[in-house]
Amino acid sequence: MPASPDEIRAGLAEILQEVADVSPEDVVDAKSFTDDLDVDSLSMVEVAMAAEEKFGVKIPDDELPKLKTVGDAVSFIQSNA
Amino acid sequence: MTDEIVVTGVGATTPLGGDVKSTWDAMLNGRSGVTAVPEDWPADMAVRIAARMAVEPADLLPRAQARRMDRAQQAAIVAADEAWADAGFVGTTLDNGLVPERVAVVIGTGIGGVGSLIAQHDVILERGPTKVSPMLIPMDMPNGPAAYVGLKIGARAGVFTPVSACASGAEAIAYGLDLLQLDRADLVVVGGTEALIHPLTISGFAQMRAMSTRNDDPTGASRPFDRDRDGFVIGEGAGALVLERRGDAEARGRPPYAVLAGAGITSDSHHITAPDPTGSGQQRAMRLAVSRSGLSPADVVHVNAHATSTPAGDMGEARAAAALFGEQIVVTATKSMTGHLIGAAGAVESIATVLTVRDDVVPPTINLQHPDDELCVDVPTQTRSMPVPAAICNSFGFGGHNASVLFRKA
């Protein structure tokens, strides 16, 4: 069964805490990875690598820059997992 | 003279302690930081001893920051943080009214983030290229420690990384002096860092027959100048010093530890790893440091030696020091306690030299039970209190690098 948006968001929160010390309560759809959560481009690659493993999804290189907010990532993972 | 360059802050993390105070106290108490390597390392390794940092540097840093950094970078940040605070600064250059474009960093390393490189090589072999960390290159690059320190304090006059094996830390101090005397900066954070304790690197050194195999006696293994010395003991850690002009320090109301009065760098052009047995390059480095300081050899009463406990190296350095300063020169080898910190050695030993000059006390050389028959200088085996108006710290490295820095009383 595919993961629900809530499950994806919670999974991303775990990854973001591990990679960039982001508090789980800050991981809400409207937040921008770079502007709000202070995740730089190198850490975004790490987040994407971990998300690919966690959710069994492939995030192509040309898609990654489009995932600007937590909500963008949740929808991408949900539609592609 | 307001143009004197002074040391106003020191910081270190070493096998003897997680800061300068604990390291210095351990040195004055003649304590060794050498221990056995983990038991799960390959059983057939000839060398099974090392001097790991007493305090894990990652434990002192925010977790997300630490995981982006190689261990050598973590150590450099810990040492630089301490030196920066010790010099009276909180936050960045701008927070302290400094001009970022006039603040530089020079942090040397022998080999950079080799631990991260090896770990990611395991990843590519076991899990493939798409699993390699995007942090690999910034973690591995030798300029990473200097760059991270510059990033943290906000240094924009340049961040530099001398890479000259075991002379890297002392060369960094010499370059820091240059930057200030050439008026290319008003303040420089200098130092060295190293973290290369791994079966691969140790095996490389061991295959050169450069390391002690006194595995059954870790604390007795590093024994510079002793007739039974059989090689160096690998260590890890970092040291950092804040250098600035005396006038600036006085204006900030900061008492200097010591004056960095001179430095000398030479190269042997003799052999890729073996020191020149005549010690002429080493002697020239010391002589340059003395002449640049405006002192005479007679003013220098103490040498914190490079002396790593190898059969070939120690006596050449002792002879070079005796030839320049006379046989009464008081020499110590703190590597007997710390092991050999490679690119951090010159920085940590310079801090010891600075404290020797400030406090008039020479730390002992431990394990010197049977002095080499050819030992021609005065090597205390107990802590010795004596007036130390000026002292030299030597660092020599594979490649034929010789660096000497001279400190005198402030």
Side-chain angles (χ1 to χ4, degrees):
Chain A
M1 198 175 87
S4 72
D6 280 349
E7 286 166 335
I8 294 171
R9 208 175 290 107
L12 280 174
E14 272 177 38
I15 293 170
L16 285 161
Q17 184 166 36
E18 169 66 23
V19 170
D21 219 9
V22 175
S23 297
E25 61 264 29
D26 289 337
V27 182
V28 294
D29 285 357
K31 296 270 189 184
S32 151
F33 289 111
T34 50
D35 298 340
D36 299 322
L37 304 181
D38 207 20
V39 179
D40 69 10
S41 62
L42 294 177
S43 288
M44 264 316 280
V45 176
E46 280 201 280
V47 170
M49 286 165 67
E52 286 183 334
E53 245 172 62
K54 197 175 201 93
F55 302 111
V57 62
K58 175 82 189 121
I59 306 175
D61 283 352
D62 55 352
E63 286 297 328
L64 187 56
K66 298 179 194 163
L67 306 182
K68 295 191 185 309
T69 64
V70 173
D72 294 341
V74 171
S75 348
F76 181 88
I77 292 167
Q78 201 188 11
S79 353
N80 293 276
Chain B
M1 246 171 65
T2 52
D3 279 337
E4 286 175 348
I5 306 306
V6 296
V7 178
T8 54
V10 292
T13 181
T14 77
L16 300 177
D19 58 15
V20 169
K21 184 181 185 313
S22 55
T23 297
W24 183 235
D25 286 349
M27 281 184 184
L28 295 181
N29 285 297
R31 198 163 65 69
S32 168
V34 183
T35 55
V37 300
E39 284 179 13
D40 60 354
W41 283 22
D44 51 353
M45 280 179 58
V47 173
R48 307 198 62 79
I49 46 177
R52 292 178 69 84
M53 281 182 259
V55 176
E56 282 297 310
D59 292 348
L60 304 176
L61 300 171
R63 201 186 48 79
Q65 190 186 344
R67 75 183 292 284
R68 290 171 73 109
M69 290 183 180
D70 180 81
R71 189 172 173 82
Q73 298 171 345
Q74 296 168 356
I77 286 284
V78 166
D81 277 354
E82 185 189 357
W84 188 246
D86 189 42
F89 299 122
V90 178
T92 65
T93 46
L94 284 173
D95 295 333
N96 293 279
L98 298 167
V99 179
E101 290 75 18
R102 296 286 295 169
V103 175
V105 175
V106 192
I107 306 242
T109 180
I111 207 162
V114 67
S116 300
L117 183 68
I118 295 169
Q120 291 297 312
H121 189 245
D122 291 344
V123 170
I124 196 172
L125 292 181
E126 288 162 17
R127 302 178 60 212
T130 62
K131 303 299 181 190
V132 168
S133 170
M135 299 297 173
L136 167 61
I137 299 305
M139 288 171 85
D140 180 51
M141 61 192 196
N143 55 311
Y148 269 123
V149 170
L151 193 59
K152 180 143 190 196
I153 66 172
R156 297 197 167 130
V159 293
F160 307 91
T161 303
V163 177
S164 50
C166 312
S168 305
E171 276 204 7
I173 296 170
Y175 287 131
L177 180 63
D178 286 349
L179 290 174
L180 289 158
Q181 290 188 334
L182 294 170
D183 197 27
R184 287 168 58 191
D186 293 330
L187 184 143
V188 189
V189 177
V190 297
T193 188
E194 206 73 69
L196 47 52
I197 297 176
H198 183 281
L200 180 63
T201 44
I202 288 188
S203 297
F205 283 118
Q207 290 294 77
M208 301 172 75
R209 307 298 191 263
M211 298 187 76
S212 171
T213 55
R214 194 183 280 259
N215 298 321
D216 56 351
D217 179 20
T219 62
S222 184
R223 43 200 315 118
F225 304 122
D226 189 87
R227 73 173 184 210
D228 297 322
R229 66 193 185 279
D230 70 333
F232 77 89
V233 175
I234 194 106
E236 60 169 10
L241 303 88
V242 173
L243 306 178
E244 58 187 312
R245 293 188 189 85
R246 185 193 277 271
D248 291 338
E250 282 171 357
R252 299 196 301 117
R254 303 304 298 188
Y257 280 88
V259 176
L260 172 57
I265 295 175
T266 65
S267 49
D268 282 346
S269 187
H270 167 73
H271 182 269
I272 190 65
T273 54
D276 179 348
T278 70
S280 76
Q282 301 178 355
Q283 198 185 130
R284 278 190 298 122
M286 289 186 267
R287 195 182 294 280
L288 280 170
V290 172
S291 69
R292 192 165 159 190
S293 73
L295 300 176
S296 77
D299 298 316
V300 177
V301 300
H302 168 60
V303 173
N304 186 307
H306 178 64
T308 62
S309 184
T310 59
D314 296 7
M315 284 313 122
E317 182 180 11
R319 280 191 294 271
L324 182 56
F325 301 116
E327 295 191 349
Q328 80 294 336
I329 187 80
V330 176
V331 176
T332 195
T334 44
K335 286 189 184 76
S336 60
M337 298 174 278
T338 60
H340 189 350
L341 272 53
I342 312 292
V348 169
E349 288 155 20
S350 284
I351 291 169
T353 310
V354 161
L355 295 175
T356 290
V357 167
R358 187 191 68 171
D359 296 346
D360 287 325
V361 59
V362 174
T365 298
I366 66 168
N367 300 321
L368 180 52
Q369 289 160 347
H370 302 101
D372 189 293
D373 288 342
E374 293 177 33
L375 186 59
C376 51
V377 292
D378 181 3
V379 183
T381 57
Q382 303 288 327
T383 296
R384 183 182 296 179
S385 294
M386 56 178 267
V388 185
I392 273 196
C393 179
N394 282 337
S395 289
F396 311 133
F398 285 172
H401 307 274
N402 308 299
S404 299
V405 290
L406 192 157
F407 299 96
R408 67 168 170 76
K409 275 202 193 298

